[in-house]
Amino acid sequence: MAVKQKDKSQRARGRPRSAEADRAITEATMKLLMELGFSNLTIEAVAAEAGVGKTTIYRRWAGKTELVIAAMSNTMLLDEVPNTGSLRGDLRGFHEHQRHGFSLRLLAGGGSTLIGTVLSEKERNPELIDTFRRLVTDRRREQFKIVIDRARARGEIPNDTDPDYLAAAIFGSLVARTLAGMPISDEVIDQTVDYLLNGVLKR
């Protein structure tokens, strides 16, 4: 009997996490973060918003900082790196993701934008921006480098093209338009990509 109880316990510990619970928790975190800001956000509030118990959250993340970073990461990172067969198509894929996810979630919202939250907490909670850079910014840069490496292999761009500079130009263009209150349409995305490619291909 004792052996059977141990086996059942091991099976319980090995059960996969619920994807629905993960999604509900991270979406609740993003919603409350934009409404309340980092300082006023609590695990209790997230649990209530997501309809789960606090223990469900603590089984997944050690605390508020890790939870917030996980929610940001899910918002900003692409599930799959664009691979359309051309640099133009891949850059457009990055722009589309930024248009629908990155810009809207990081620069829009209620009481606090996400970028504002990260920057405002830099002194009080330096681990937030450090973790943000490590888990979000650095990983997004790695995704973008894959696109540049593919374009180099296809002979579309010179081998010395700087992926970090090109990434900053891409992401910064939509951020600037969002901050200025300018619309972002399919035509704007096409025009921005063409400008960037003209600069890279004509060097």
Side-chain angles (χ1 to χ4, degrees), residues 10-78:
Q10 288 175 339
R11 286 197 298 271
R13 288 197 299 270
R15 285 182 301 182
R17 282 169 38 165
S18 166
E20 290 185 7
D22 285 354
R23 183 167 53 255
I25 293 168
T26 54
E27 288 180 354
T29 301
M30 292 291 290
K31 177 179 182 292
L32 294 177
L33 183 65
M34 295 169 71
E35 292 176 357
L36 305 175
F38 182 82
S39 296
N40 295 324
L41 182 71
T42 65
I43 297 295
E44 290 80 2
V46 172
E49 180 72 26
V52 301
K54 289 192 298 181
T55 55
T56 301
I57 296 177
Y58 282 117
R59 278 199 299 266
R60 289 159 166 77
W61 298 281
K64 183 168 71 170
T65 297
E66 290 83 356
L67 174 58
V68 168
I69 292 299
M72 288 182 175
S73 178
N74 288 343
T75 298
M76 294 184 61
L77 294 177
L78 286 76

Side-chain angles (χ1 to χ4, degrees), residues 141-179:
R141 185 183 296 118
E142 291 170 3
Q143 290 184 326
F144 189 78
K145 187 177 183 297
I146 293 173
V147 167
I148 297 303
D149 288 342
R150 287 173 180 162
R152 287 172 178 156
R154 290 191 296 261
E156 291 183 271
I157 57 176
N159 287 331
D160 63 348
T161 300
D162 186 345
D164 287 337
Y165 188 86
L166 192 55
I170 288 177
F171 305 143
S173 63
L174 290 190
V175 170
R177 291 188 69 89
T178 303
L179 287 173

Side-chain angles (χ1 to χ4, degrees), residues 103 107 171-185 188-189 191-192:
S103 295
L107 297 172
F171 305 143
S173 63
L174 290 190
V175 170
R177 291 188 69 89
T178 303
L179 287 173
M182 302 170 68
I184 300 173
S185 62
V188 167
I189 292 176
Q191 186 179 40
T192 303

Side-chain angles (χ1 to χ4, degrees), residues 103-121:
S103 295
L104 292 178
R105 289 296 188 99
L106 267 74
L107 297 172
S112 175
T113 66
L114 299 192
I115 284 182
T117 292
V118 170
L119 294 178
S120 66
E121 294 293 326

